[in-house]
Amino acid sequence: MRPFQYSRAPSLAEASNLTADENALAIAGGTNLLDLMKLQVETPDQLADINRLGFADIEDTDEGGLRLGSLATNTETAVHPRVRADYPVLSRAILAGATQQLRNKATNGGNLCQRTRCFYFTNIDQPCNKREPGSGCGAIDGIAKLHAILGTSEQCIATYPGDMAVALSALGAEVQISGDKGERSVPVRDFHLLPGDTPWIENVLEPGEIITGIVLPAPVGSTQIYRKVRERSSYAFALVSVAAIIELTDGKFSRADFAFGGLAHKPWFDPRFGEALIGQPPSEALFDKAADVLLEDARGYGENDFKIPLTRRTLRAVLAQATEDAA
Amino acid sequence: MTVHFKQDEPDNSNRLDGMKQGVIGKPLPRIEGLAKVTGTAPYAAEYPIENCAEGVLVTSTITRGEVTSIDRTSVLSMPGVIAVVDDEKLCTRAAQGTANEAPMQGPAQVCYWGQPIALVIAETFEQARDAAKHLKVEYREDAGAPIDPGAVEPEEQEDETVHQGDLSHAMAEAAHSVDVTYTTKGHASAAMEPHAAIAQWDGDKLTVHASLQMLNYNITELADALDMEEENMRLISRFVGGGFGSKLGISEEVVAAALAAKQIGRPVRVVQSRQQVFQTVMRRSETTQRLRLAADENGKLTGFGHEALVSNLPGETFAEPVLQSSHFMYGGENRELMLNVARIHRMTAGSVRAPGEAVGMPALEGAMDVLAEKAGIDPVELRLRNIPEQDPEEDLPFSSHKLAECLTQGAKAFGWDKGPRKPRQRREGEWWIGTGMANAARVHNIAEAKARVTLKADGTALVETDMTDIGTGTYTILAQIAAEMLGLGPEQVLVELGDTRYPRGPGSGGSWGAASIGSAVYIACKAIREELAARLGTSEEELELRESKTAGGEALTDLLGGKDLAREGHYEPGDIEDDYTASGFGAFFAEVRVNHYTGETRVDRMLGAFGFGRVLNAKTARSQCIGGITWSIGVALTEALEFDPRDGHLVNCDLAEYHVPVHRDVPDLQVLLVEERDGAASPIQAKGIGELGMCGGAAAIANAIYNACGARLFDYPMTPDRVLAAIPD
């Protein structure tokens, strides 16, 4: 068997210490990590169990926002009265992911760190630059229906699979991180990285850094929509998902914060999309124009070409829903 | 004492009705249900066998070629590793259903990516799994193995070919004609319980706990693979966590466990990982099907063409029997039917849930919907007009045919609108809503079966057979048959299944279990009744048994006089198999909604009306039907095996990425059991149920998609990308 050291981290400092090694990983809910360890896609020498560190609270911030503990479960977060009342897009996004059993176990921090479900990443007998740098990308010219159309590289066309982070990106949330160099805060929009030439680096966490919380800004009201298109109605990853926070003033967009899932190696946030909408009255033509901007550099890989028109159409659905919800 | 009955004539005596106990047909819950949901029913891998070592299969990472060396030393020094098995008797494929001989052996020859090539044995499962991943294997690869069924010259399955009349002429002359090509993707059985076996030797005697559907065939397959006598082996499969065809024949883990246990002189357990089950056992072949329908102005078929291309590995005899029900579903004197097989190097293709009709009927019934539209005839009416009076190819009568009743009763219960049908008539917000229907058909299979029934001195009964219960309700219906016949309560009957020490039945598969083994139990019970009647000086026909007593009030226990009374029933289908075309028939009705923007389809409601002979248990029969309809939702909307276009490996090999319908995809399903007595089907007048419920249902959904949004799709599954490509703006 593959031996590894399992330690229960008694403190944040110790957790940081335990995960500082290159081949160390933190484990919280384990819903993704354990699967990957069984497949030997992940082969840590050291597992630091961070479940006893606290960070499970969901509490108000002085700024009127909400701080989600990194170890609060997805279920606890989705059903929290303030999340439901003030950040419904987040509640809906979480509930659109995985299954009830998985959400009961999965944590907010872990959700941000989940790995791609690319078929070639999870099969250790196939090439994957993310898993084995330099081995090639099996998905390019392979089965790539679920794969990315934006921000890809010749090294990797995998998608970030989650839903929660897409809503967090639209909301402009911040990730709180603690490590041996102290604490820092990173916008969710900057937390995940594009593959470039280093597809194995998926986010900005440095060795020894632990996510302690996610901070939501003060609520903005507005119409909040999470729209996930998938091949079955539950327990399937997004073909395309859209998190939208929309406000109309005098019949014109005064707020239009959109983030997209299923399109890229990270939750996709393009400020130009919202800028194209602001100050304009909603219409399909306007959404199409904004979609042109969004999809300007989109590239299909054969099997996933449909994601380009699907994104456009899903945006029209969001528009229809938004105008219906606002009415 | 064995009572042999070979059925040459229909049996319309309907004796089970004559018993008047009210046990047969009753919706009793499954006898083993509580044990299963409380986790106390042991599955194959769960038997606590002492000193059991753990084996993990090693699989190939090339598509075609030869294993040139296996470096045992690469793993033998790893902690806990006991041995590496690469015996030439290791099986590299699963046996096809009813093969009755060993599947392909010789692990050095590689024919598909993921093929088992060795087994690593260790003290713990984790040690074995890690060592299996680290075993150093060298190959000589044969490049260029064909993996695309469209890129090779196919072989014609000549016994399926029908040329009758002149179809081209009929098409040219027809008032209405349809010439369309459908495709279906491959399917996985996707049973919950993975394939598993524990083998133990006692001298030269072998006992294997395994998860298998057909022990009678499986023991022969295993004996052949190991080159030993059946008498020296015992197979046990008391509970099977779903088979869906994937456990008809023995798979690689059974032989591997037996060889490994022999090699190390200890019991060995081999459980396939979920990925291995997907990659090494059985796939349903993808299909390409051309349908040609020629009809007169009344919609009556004058020509019928169904040609299909399927695939399998070289050396396999199985070809997805796509045309199975097409041979008799509809008339049309001008006929062209042909089945072609492409030899390609994807994993073995074999029986998966209703082989043939599961994909053949969705194509045929989709084409019928196109015809109904062209001819301007209501789809239900079109089908009613085309029910043949007898088998259109074989000049044989149908054993029974309840299609018309299923169509009319189903349409009524569903609320089918007979008005003119035009697509895109109903929209609710983003959703187009529409309805569709399709016929169901699935050939009735029946086989030789033996079961022993013992009326115990204490007045209870014992039923013993190697028949399996794969979650379908066999334990329960056999208790009901024996109880009905012997005047007992079902709780007074103990049913013992899944052990080759018992009389041999045909196992579970092709929906033949209930009618076959049920008939053997019936025959044994009838023989017991004859003996009891003789003791009372009356005839079996006159004998009335109720609540453990005779009509005259004599207790069964008194009549038995302290002794057990046992009979073995041996059922054999005789001329009835050749004299009739026997099939289950039915009709599906579906209402779906299709999202205008995203192309997502959701089934709002679905109804199936089925005629399949006698209903032995209304609850388990209904459960079989709703299971079948659920699979038909999978065929229509979600299920697709995806193979890498370069090395042919199956990429989506787990239940997260191979999309069977989840609860939320399955609405409330309505089932109408259109009961009948089919004496030519079996002595208990029952036919197969399980598979019928999925044979055509996908077309009802496809036709409803068209009716809802105007997207006429010819490719299953109808995923959002495909719907969007076809939906009018």
Side-chain angles (χ1 to χ4, degrees):
Chain A
M1 102 183 199
R2 243 204 125 262
F4 61 88
Q5 185 75 36
Y6 167 88
S7 317
R8 188 177 285 157
S11 67
L12 189 55
E14 190 54 24
S16 180
N17 207 11
L18 285 166
T19 55
D21 290 343
E22 199 185 330
N23 236 344
L25 285 171
I27 181 165
T31 55
N32 187 206
L33 180 55
L34 292 183
D35 282 351
L36 294 175
M37 286 177 69
K38 289 176 191 171
L39 295 168
Q40 296 200 356
V41 172
E42 294 274 25
T43 52
D45 296 324
Q46 167 79 47
L47 266 195
D49 183 336
I50 58 170
N51 283 298
R52 306 285 173 102
L53 295 186
F55 309 129
D57 293 337
I58 298 176
E59 57 205 2
D60 297 343
T61 66
D62 294 341
E63 292 73 32
L66 196 63
R67 184 180 183 280
L68 312 172
S70 61
L71 290 169
T73 67
N74 280 181
T75 298
E76 286 160 357
T77 307
V79 303
H80 190 275
R82 271 209 68 196
V83 174
R84 291 171 59 135
D86 295 336
Y87 310 96
V89 66
L90 178 61
S91 183
R92 288 177 188 140
I94 291 171
L95 295 177
T99 63
Q100 184 71 54
Q101 293 90 332
L102 287 167
R103 294 191 297 267
N104 288 347
K105 195 76 191 141
T107 63
N108 292 332
N111 191 312
L112 288 177
C113 297
Q114 65 177 308
R115 313 290 310 267
T116 184
R117 263 54 170 201
C118 172
F119 303 128
Y120 298 87
F121 172 67
T122 53
N123 184 335
I124 62 168
D125 294 317
Q126 290 288 324
C128 172
N129 288 322
K130 184 186 283 294
R131 194 189 60 246
E132 204 180 322
S135 62
C137 173
I140 295 175
D141 299 327
I143 298 295
K145 191 172 181 184
L146 292 171
H147 288 70
I149 57 170
L150 287 168
T152 56
S153 74
E154 283 176 15
Q155 304 285 323
C156 180
I157 61 169
T159 50
Y160 171 76
D163 293 291
M164 185 185 84
V166 179
L168 292 174
S169 178
L171 285 164
E174 300 259 328
V175 185
Q176 294 183 322
I177 298 166
S178 180
D180 53 358
K181 290 176 204 136
E183 301 196 348
R184 61 180 179 136
S185 184
V186 176
V188 167
R189 292 169 190 169
D190 300 330
F191 179 78
H192 296 96
L193 302 171
L194 289 177
D197 289 330
T198 55
W200 56 93
I201 304 174
E202 296 180 343
N203 58 50
V204 300
L205 285 181
E206 298 284 341
E209 284 194 320
I210 304 283
I211 300 173
T212 57
I214 299 164
V215 176
L216 302 172
V220 294
S222 314
T223 298
Q224 300 191 8
I225 291 168
Y226 190 72
R227 189 62 182 243
K228 180 177 180 181
V229 183
R230 44 187 155 172
E231 294 199 344
R232 62 181 171 188
S233 62
S234 181
Y235 195 41
F237 293 97
L239 298 172
V240 171
S241 70
V242 181
I245 300 166
I246 297 167
E247 197 158 304
L248 291 170
T249 308
D250 301 330
K252 291 175 181 165
F253 282 108
S254 52
R255 177 182 285 274
D257 298 330
F258 281 67
F260 300 84
L263 301 186
H265 200 257
K266 59 182 289 186
W268 193 257
F269 178 84
D270 184 341
R272 296 176 304 159
F273 183 83
E275 285 160 15
L277 301 182
I278 295 293
Q280 306 289 326
S283 71
E284 282 205 357
L286 176 70
F287 264 57
D288 284 349
K289 224 171 89 188
D292 287 342
V293 175
L294 177 78
L295 298 167
E296 194 179 3
D297 297 321
R299 179 193 162 181
Y301 290 82
E303 282 213 315
N304 68 347
D305 289 351
F306 74 94
K307 283 190 173 185
I308 297 171
L310 178 61
T311 304
R312 288 178 178 283
R313 295 188 71 117
T314 307
L315 279 166
R316 287 185 203 163
V318 169
L319 173 69
Q321 192 180 334
T323 41
E324 206 171 272
D325 285 5
Chain B
M1 192 172 131
T2 300
V3 183
H4 178 215
F5 174 62
K6 187 172 176 190
Q7 190 177 9
D8 291 323
E9 300 285 336
D11 178 347
N12 296 318
S13 61
N14 299 343
R15 290 303 307 282
L16 280 168
D17 297 310
M19 300 297 149
K20 296 179 184 154
Q21 307 279 332
V23 176
I24 202 72
K26 208 171 168 184
L28 297 179
R30 283 192 273 161
I31 287 171
E32 82 290 7
L34 187 66
K36 281 183 174 170
V37 298
T38 53
T40 54
Y43 290 93
E46 297 179 326
Y47 285 85
I49 309 282
E50 254 181 64
N51 198 30
C52 189
E54 307 287 340
V56 169
L57 290 167
V58 182
T59 58
S60 91
T61 56
I62 64 164
T63 307
R64 184 178 65 177
E66 198 182 340
V67 175
T68 52
S69 81
I70 290 179
D71 179 8
R72 288 179 163 70
T73 58
S74 62
V75 298
L76 283 176
S77 60
M78 292 174 76
V81 174
I82 300 166
V84 175
V85 183
D86 63 349
D87 193 300
E88 61 182 19
K89 287 181 179 155
L90 277 178
C91 292
T92 58
R93 304 178 190 178
Q96 297 287 352
T98 71
N100 236 10
E101 60 183 21
M104 194 71 82
Q105 292 171 285
Q109 293 301 319
V110 175
C111 277
Y112 62 97
W113 201 101
Q115 174 193 303
I117 50 175
L119 182 85
V120 175
I121 318 166
E123 294 294 339
T124 71
F125 166 70
E126 287 78 8
Q127 289 167 337
R129 181 175 60 185
D130 187 37
K133 287 188 196 299
H134 283 86
L135 186 68
K136 283 208 172 69
V137 179
E138 283 178 29
Y139 302 95
R140 180 190 53 72
E141 188 170 1
D142 289 343
I147 49 176
D148 173 5
V152 296
E153 190 60 39
E155 297 167 9
E156 184 180 338
Q157 295 291 105
E158 284 171 14
D159 52 346
E160 288 277 353
T161 305
V162 174
H163 297 293
Q164 223 172 275
D166 185 345
L167 180 59
S168 300
H169 184 71
M171 290 288 286
E173 295 291 304
H176 310 288
S177 66
V178 171
D179 184 349
V180 290
T181 299
Y182 280 83
T183 67
T184 65
K185 291 237 185 188
H187 298 147
S189 294
M192 287 291 285
E193 184 199 12
H195 292 58
I198 306 173
Q200 23 177 184
W201 292 86
D202 180 5
D204 61 353
K205 306 270 188 206
L206 172 65
T207 301
V208 183
H209 289 86
S211 186
L212 295 164
Q213 291 178 233
M214 296 184 157
L215 299 187
N216 184 33
Y217 297 95
N218 302 140
I219 196 166
T220 313
E221 290 151 7
L222 184 57
D224 188 29
L226 300 176
D227 197 15
M228 59 186 283
E229 299 297 322
E230 278 180 37
E231 290 69 35
N232 290 328
M233 353 171 89
R234 180 179 171 197
L235 282 181
I236 300 168
S237 287
R238 292 176 60 211
F239 300 103
V240 180
F244 306 108
S246 70
K247 297 167 184 170
L248 292 178
I250 57 167
S251 292
E252 298 91 337
E253 78 289 348
V254 178
V255 175
L259 291 170
K262 186 85 175 173
Q263 183 171 323
I264 67 167
R266 277 173 68 175
V268 172
R269 171 179 13 239
V270 181
V271 182
Q272 292 208 31
S273 69
R274 179 66 65 195
Q275 289 76 14
Q276 287 177 339
V277 172
F278 268 85
Q279 289 179 334
T280 75
V281 182
M282 285 285 174
R283 64 182 168 98
R284 184 205 304 287
S285 172
E286 70 297 319
T287 73
T288 303
Q289 305 177 49
R290 183 186 185 193
L291 270 302
R292 282 181 288 173
L293 303 173
D296 65 19
E297 55 279 15
N298 296 318
K300 185 114 173 146
L301 288 169
T302 55
F304 183 93
H306 195 170
E307 293 144 280
L309 173 66
V310 301
S311 71
N312 209 341
L313 280 165
E316 292 296 322
T317 53
F318 181 89
E320 181 74 19
V322 176
L323 313 178
Q324 203 153 241
S325 285
S326 295
H327 288 294
F328 59 79
M329 187 78 237
Y330 296 115
E333 53 277 23
N334 301 292
R335 305 177 78 80
E336 289 281 344
L337 288 89
M338 190 188 285
L339 182 63
N340 285 310
V341 188
R343 295 290 166 204
I344 57 167
H345 292 265
R346 294 179 181 176
M347 56 181 284
T348 321
S351 294
V352 173
R353 310 180 226 133
E357 289 94 329
V359 286
M361 287 296 290
L364 170 56
E365 291 299 291
M368 283 295 280
D369 199 63
V370 178
L371 179 64
E373 186 186 32
K374 278 198 168 183
I377 298 170
D378 178 79
V380 175
E381 176 61 27
L382 179 72
R383 286 165 176 86
L384 284 169
R385 287 183 196 177
N386 279 292
I387 297 174
E389 301 220 330
Q390 61 166 26
D391 187 314
E393 292 173 12
E394 299 282 344
D395 195 22
L396 291 175
F398 290 106
S399 66
S400 72
H401 205 302
K402 283 281 171 189
L403 178 55
E405 289 86 342
C406 292
L407 282 164
T408 48
Q409 290 178 31
K412 187 163 176 239
F414 180 79
W416 181 257
D417 180 359
K418 285 186 185 145
R421 290 178 64 73
K422 270 167 71 184
R424 291 164 82 90
Q425 296 301 302
R426 200 172 145 202
R427 173 111 178 228
E428 284 178 10
E430 299 175 18
W431 299 89
W432 294 106
I433 296 167
T435 57
M437 58 79 53
N439 279 353
R442 172 67 178 166
V443 292
H444 167 60
N445 296 305
I446 188 143
E448 192 169 0
K450 291 178 192 167
R452 181 167 52 238
V453 178
T454 306
L455 191 52
K456 310 283 275 186
D458 64 5
T460 64
L462 172 67
V463 176
E464 295 164 306
T465 161
D466 78 341
M467 176 66 188
T468 52
D469 186 331
I470 58 172
T472 47
T474 315
Y475 279 104
T476 312
I477 57 149
L478 295 186
Q480 284 176 276
I481 292 169
E484 183 72 41
M485 292 294 289
L486 299 175
L488 305 173
E491 69 287 350
Q492 290 172 284
V493 183
L494 176 66
V495 181
E496 295 277 14
L497 301 178
D499 189 329
T500 50
R501 287 190 310 185
Y502 301 138
R504 303 290 180 81
S508 304
S511 301
W512 72 10
S516 304
I517 201 68
S519 292
V521 170
Y522 164 81
I523 289 160
C525 290
K526 212 168 145 206
I528 288 173
R529 289 173 54 84
E530 276 162 11
E531 172 60 26
L532 294 173
R535 290 181 192 178
L536 284 166
T538 179
S539 70
E540 191 271 322
E541 288 76 12
E542 298 285 317
L543 178 68
E544 272 187 48
L545 297 173
R546 193 179 299 273
E547 291 175 4
S548 304
K549 291 194 191 78
T550 65
E554 189 171 356
L556 267 180
T557 44
D558 292 342
L559 203 51
L560 289 164
K563 284 189 182 147
D564 293 355
L565 174 54
R567 290 289 182 272
E568 185 171 302
H570 175 188
Y571 174 70
E572 189 183 348
D575 291 345
I576 54 155
E577 275 201 305
D578 300 326
D579 292 350
Y580 296 90
T581 293
S583 176
F585 292 99
F588 298 96
F589 298 85
E591 182 179 298
V592 308
R593 54 183 57 218
V594 182
N595 191 285
H596 172 74
Y597 297 105
T598 64
E600 292 164 294
T601 300
R602 303 285 180 250
V603 181
D604 276 348
R605 61 194 182 101
M606 210 163 160
L607 177 144
F610 305 109
F612 35 54
R614 179 193 296 280
V615 172
L616 298 167
N617 176 321
K619 180 177 275 186
T620 59
R622 180 178 176 278
S623 290
Q624 289 285 285
C625 293
I626 60 175
I629 297 173
T630 301
W631 287 125
S632 74
I633 295 173
V635 174
L637 299 178
T638 59
E639 289 184 60
L641 293 177
E642 301 288 355
F643 294 91
D644 183 272
R646 297 152 301 190
D647 63 15
H649 85 275
L650 173 64
V651 297
N652 53 337
C653 49
D654 62 37
L655 292 168
E657 302 301 340
Y658 178 77
H659 290 165
V660 299
V662 296
H663 284 109
R664 203 165 171 232
D665 295 315
V666 185
D668 188 24
L669 302 174
Q670 230 188 312
V671 174
L672 287 187
L673 303 175
V674 182
E675 218 179 330
E676 59 178 328
R677 301 284 179 262
D678 189 342
S682 62
I684 55 174
Q685 296 86 34
K687 288 193 275 208
I689 295 186
E691 296 167 309
L692 181 64
M694 76 171 293
C695 296
I701 294 167
N703 299 339
I705 289 174
Y706 174 69
N707 181 247
C709 72
R712 180 68 86 179
L713 275 76
F714 299 96
D715 302 292
Y716 293 100
M718 298 178 177
T719 44
D721 52 315
R722 287 172 157 179
V723 173
L724 282 191
I727 198 168
D729 264 337

